Amino acid sequence: MMDSGRALPHWSHLDLITNIAGQAPENAGREASRVDTRVHDLLRENKYLENPKKKRSVNMLGKIRWTMIFSLVSVLAMSLAACGPATTANPTAAPRVTQAATAAIPTAAPRATQATGQETGAATPATMPTAEAKAPQAVALMATKNPTVGEILTNSQGMTLYTFKNDKPGESTCYDACAQNWPPLSVAKGEQPKAGEGVSGKLGVIERKDGSYQVTYDDMPLYYYKTDTKPGDTNGQGLNNVWYAASVAPGGSAATAAGGKIALLLPESKTTRYEAHDRPDFENKLKELCPNCQIIYSNANQDANQQLSQAEAALTNGAQVLVLDPVDSAAAAAIADKAKAQGVPVIAYDRLILNSNNVNYYISFDNYKVGQLQAQSLVDRLNQEGVKNPVIVMINGAPTDNNAKLFKEGAHSVFDPLVKAGQLTIAKEYDTPDWSPDQAQNEMQQALTALGNKVDGIYCANDGTASGATAAMKAAGMKPLPPVTGQDAELAAIQRILSGEQYMTVYKAIKPEAEAAAQLAYDLLTNTKVPASMTESKTVNNGTFDVPSVLLTPVAVTKDNVKTTVVKDGFWTVQQICTGAYSSTCQTAGLG
Ligand code: BGC
C-alpha cells in the first residue's frame, strides 16, 4: 500500500523514530524532544493545525504523535535496561531501502513501521492512543493466473515478478543500470517474505552488494520490471531471452508458467535423421530453455491418417504448441486448422504445411537449393569422368511432401537446360511414395531392366532412396557403380561415400534447425516476442499466405569435405564413421 506524501507525514515520522532507535542512550532523550518538535512542524507544514475541516486528521496525527513519543520512551527504557548501546536494541528497525521503484512498485521501507509498532505494542496500555495509520503489508508472494503467460508469481497486488537467467542461485548479478530497469523485490533486514496460496517453492532472502535485501524464490532472486505499471503487465517477459516472469512451478525460473506442453510430430522413421538428430536435438534444446516443459512426441511412420490422430491426441492431452513435420503437406492443413480452433499455434517443421492460414512459422532449409546442389554435383562428376551426353535416372521423393517437389524443381532447373541442349538424357524418372528405400529399389530395378543397365548417373533425392537404388544396381551386377546423389548425410551414406558406392550427399545441419524450432515453440508457449533476427524477414508462400520462415543453408558433401562438414560439426564422429571395413578408406580420406 502506498502513502501519498500529502495524506500522512508517514515517512518523516518513521525516519525520526528509526533515528532515535539508532541513538546512544545518553542522546535519546534529546532526540525524543527533537522528534516531538518535528512532528509538530510536520502537522503545521501540512496545515492540519490551522484548518478546522481537517480536525479528524489532526486527531489521528495527534495519536501518532503520542505513539511515537511512547515508542521513544520504550526504546530508551529498553536501551538503558540492556546497558548497551541503543544501536543494538532495535535489530528489527528497517534500513532505509533505496530502490528505483516506479509508482506501481511498492517499496520495502514502509514495513519498518511494523517493527516500531511491535516493539512498543506489548507494553501499550489499552487506553493509550495508538497509530491508526494504514499498516504496511509484509512482502507476500502470490500465484496469479496471467492470461498471456499462465500461472506466475506476483506480489500481493498482482505485479509480475521476474527472474534473470544470468543470475545464479542465491546471487543477483543485476546492479546499477540493470537494477534501475529491474528493481529487486526488497525486504527489510530480518524480514521474511510470506507465501500466498499456491506458492509452494522455497522463499528466501539474500543480501545484495549494496546492503539491501532481496527476496528469492527457489533460490532465484526476484525483480519487478520498470515498465510494468499495473497488475497483469508482463512487458518484461522474454526480454533478451534472459528475463522471464517467475514461474510458480518448483524450479521456478523461466517461463514454465503455463505447464508447458509442446507436441513434436515427426513423419517417419525409415530415414534415420528423425530419431538420430531431429528428436534429440529438439528435446535437448527445449529442456535447456524450459526444464519443466513436457514434450508430447509422436512419429507417424509415413501415415497421414495416423499423424492426424496423433495431432488430435496431442491437443486433447493439452499441447499448447504443435511442431509438425507433415507426412502430407496438403492434408496437414486440417491439423493446423484444428489447432488454431483451440488457440494452439503451429510450427511447420522441415516440410511446409500448405493452404492454411494457421501456420505461425516454417523452419526448414532452402530446399530448392538442395535439389540444385544434388543435380549440379552429378553433372560436374559426369563431366569430370568425361562422360558425353550422359543418360541419367531420377528417383525423386514422396509426392505428398512439399520438400520433394522443391528438390525435384531445383534439380530440374539444372538438368533441363542440358536436356534441351541435347547434352543429357533423363531416361527414367520416378516419384517415390513414402520416400520408401524399398520402393526406390523397385524403381531402379525397372529402370535398369528397361535400359539394359546403360545408366551413367542416378539422381536420388535422399540417402534412403540412394540406398535402394544402389542395392538394385549391385543386384544387377553393375561394377563400378555410376555416381549416385543423396541427402541427409546419414551415417551409412557417409560410409558409402568413403567406400565409393555413393558420390555425394547433402548435409543439412539439423541441430540449428531443431534448436530454432525449440526456441520458437518456447517463444510461442510463453508469448515471447520473436526477435527479427530469427527469420530475417524471410517468408515462404504456402498457397494461402506468406509464412514467416527460418531457412537454413544446405551443403554438398563428397569424400573431399566429409571432415570439414559433418565431422567438424560433430554430426558424426570419426569413431562412428570409421568402423571395421571403413577404417582403411577413412585413412585415405584423411579421417583415420
Ligand atoms: C526431408 C529430408 C528427408 C525426407 C524423407 C524430407 O522432407 O527434408 O531430409 O530425407 O523428407 O523423410
Side-chain angles (χ1 to χ4, degrees):
M1 227 160 286
M2 296 294 295
D3 293 320
S4 84
R6 180 88 184 114
L8 194 69
H10 182 84
W11 280 99
S12 307
H13 84 251
L14 172 66
D15 292 348
L16 295 167
I17 291 283
T18 309
N19 189 20
I20 291 163
Q23 295 296 319
E26 61 273 24
N27 296 334
R30 197 170 348 116
E31 194 61 26
S33 101
R34 198 175 75 74
V35 166
D36 191 20
T37 318
R38 179 72 183 122
V39 170
H40 195 85
D41 289 351
L42 285 165
L43 295 172
R44 218 176 260 302
E45 263 165 45
N46 285 278
K47 309 239 175 343
Y48 286 103
L49 294 183
E50 289 140 26
N51 184 347
K53 282 191 193 152
K54 302 229 169 130
K55 210 155 178 232
R56 269 191 61 208
S57 303
V58 171
N59 288 340
M60 189 179 81
L61 289 164
K63 285 178 188 176
I64 293 167
R65 184 180 176 194
W66 275 109
T67 306
M68 287 163 55
I69 292 167
F70 186 78
S71 300
L72 294 173
V73 172
S74 300
V75 168
L76 185 59
M78 279 164 60
S79 302
L80 289 171
C83 285
T87 41
T88 59
N90 184 17
T92 50
R96 292 299 305 271
V97 179
T98 49
Q99 70 174 38
T102 63
I105 301 169
T107 55
R111 278 182 298 279
T113 53
Q114 260 195 341
T116 55
Q118 270 148 28
E119 280 152 28
T120 59
T124 306
T127 50
M128 206 64 195
T130 54
E132 286 176 8
K134 289 174 267 171
Q137 293 174 345
V139 165
L141 300 189
M142 314 298 288
T144 303
K145 270 234 147 54
N146 183 287
T148 47
V149 294
E151 194 170 52
I152 54 169
L153 272 188
T154 66
N155 73 358
S156 56
Q157 292 152 312
M159 296 301 295
T160 302
L161 295 167
Y162 296 86
T163 54
F164 183 31
K165 239 178 139 186
N166 295 356
D167 282 352
K168 297 187 194 83
E171 188 186 332
S172 167
T173 56
C174 181
Y175 286 92
D176 306 318
C178 173
Q180 299 282 321
N181 289 324
W182 302 91
L185 173 63
S186 303
V187 282
K189 185 178 184 183
E191 182 185 349
Q192 284 304 315
K194 293 192 171 53
E197 203 177 323
V199 177
S200 55
K202 186 175 95 190
L203 295 182
V205 174
I206 53 165
E207 184 170 1
R208 292 174 58 79
K209 282 189 212 148
D210 58 9
S212 63
Y213 294 89
Q214 181 172 12
V215 179
T216 58
Y217 188 67
D218 281 338
D219 295 325
M220 294 309 286
L222 295 173
Y223 305 84
Y224 296 104
Y225 183 46
K226 194 171 95 178
T227 67
D228 285 352
T229 54
K230 55 183 189 315
D233 280 357
T234 51
N235 297 317
Q237 174 65 359
L239 264 192
N240 300 324
N241 288 324
V242 287
W243 288 98
Y244 294 97
S247 164
V248 173
S253 57
T256 54
K261 282 193 183 176
I262 292 177
L264 176 64
L265 303 161
L266 295 183
E268 57 129 332
S269 45
K270 282 189 185 158
T271 302
T272 58
R273 60 170 280 180
Y274 301 109
E275 297 295 334
H277 293 283
D278 296 87
R279 180 184 181 179
D281 287 347
F282 180 89
E283 289 179 345
N284 290 340
K285 181 67 182 178
L286 196 69
K287 232 172 240 154
E288 178 195 315
L289 292 169
C290 183
N292 298 316
C293 280
Q294 189 190 325
I295 298 172
I296 303 170
Y297 175 72
S298 333
N299 191 310
N301 292 313
Q302 274 301 345
D303 181 336
N305 288 330
Q306 195 180 338
Q307 191 165 58
L308 176 62
S309 312
Q310 289 173 342
E312 285 169 346
L315 291 170
T316 308
N317 197 350
Q320 293 154 288
V321 181
L322 296 192
V323 178
L324 172 61
D325 189 340
V327 171
D328 183 321
S329 299
I335 297 178
D337 296 347
K338 272 198 178 162
K340 173 71 178 188
Q342 300 190 25
V344 173
V346 176
I347 296 169
Y349 180 69
D350 200 68
R351 301 176 181 173
L352 188 57
I353 299 165
L354 298 172
N355 306 323
S356 168
N357 265 321
N358 302 317
V359 182
N360 295 64
Y361 287 96
Y362 168 50
I363 301 173
S364 191
F365 286 80
D366 180 342
N367 293 308
Y368 185 84
K369 177 96 186 278
V370 169
Q372 285 185 314
L373 288 174
Q374 293 168 321
Q376 195 58 56
S377 295
L378 185 61
V379 168
D380 291 348
R381 180 64 182 164
L382 292 167
N383 278 339
Q384 263 175 27
E385 288 178 349
V387 184
K388 292 271 170 270
N389 300 327
V391 172
I392 67 162
V393 170
M394 284 186 78
I395 297 187
N396 302 310
T400 51
D401 175 357
N402 187 61
N403 283 352
K405 178 175 155 260
L406 296 171
F407 304 146
K408 184 172 164 180
E409 284 173 6
H412 272 286
S413 75
V414 174
F415 293 142
D416 290 358
L418 298 171
V419 172
K420 251 195 192 149
Q423 294 166 8
L424 183 127
T425 302
I426 302 171
K428 293 279 175 195
E429 179 170 7
Y430 305 92
D431 290 334
T432 310
D434 296 338
W435 288 95
S436 156
D438 294 345
Q439 191 60 37
Q441 185 168 350
N442 292 338
E443 290 161 357
M444 191 65 208
Q445 213 171 320
Q446 283 172 31
L448 291 175
T449 306
L451 302 170
N453 288 4
K454 291 205 170 7
V455 180
D456 298 308
I458 299 97
Y459 166 91
C460 288
N462 75 349
D463 291 337
T465 49
S467 74
T470 304
M473 290 190 287
K474 280 183 165 179
M478 289 175 75
K479 210 173 177 187
L481 296 176
V484 177
T485 67
Q487 167 180 201
D488 289 337
E490 284 191 358
L491 183 57
I494 296 292
Q495 292 173 330
R496 286 197 300 271
I497 288 173
L498 292 171
S499 68
E501 285 188 357
Q502 182 170 325
Y503 175 62
M504 66 86 71
T505 186
V506 174
Y507 169 51
K508 299 188 297 188
I510 290 169
K511 199 164 188 219
E513 185 186 25
E515 290 190 345
Q519 180 71 59
L520 275 177
Y522 175 70
D523 289 349
L524 288 169
L525 174 76
T526 55
N527 246 302
T528 301
K529 194 173 179 313
V530 174
S533 57
M534 188 60 125
T535 60
E536 294 165 333
S537 311
K538 284 183 203 147
T539 58
V540 173
N541 192 285
N542 76 341
T544 309
F545 83 117
D546 293 337
V547 185
S549 300
V550 177
L551 293 178
L552 303 163
T553 307
V555 179
V557 171
T558 63
K559 205 183 259 190
D560 294 340
N561 63 346
V562 168
K563 192 174 174 180
T564 56
T565 53
V566 293
V567 171
K568 182 168 168 256
D569 276 12
F571 194 73
W572 301 117
T573 63
V574 169
Q575 285 73 19
Q576 285 170 312
I577 299 168
C578 302
T579 52
Y582 297 100
S583 58
S584 60
T585 47
C586 271
Q587 265 164 18
T588 51
L591 295 175

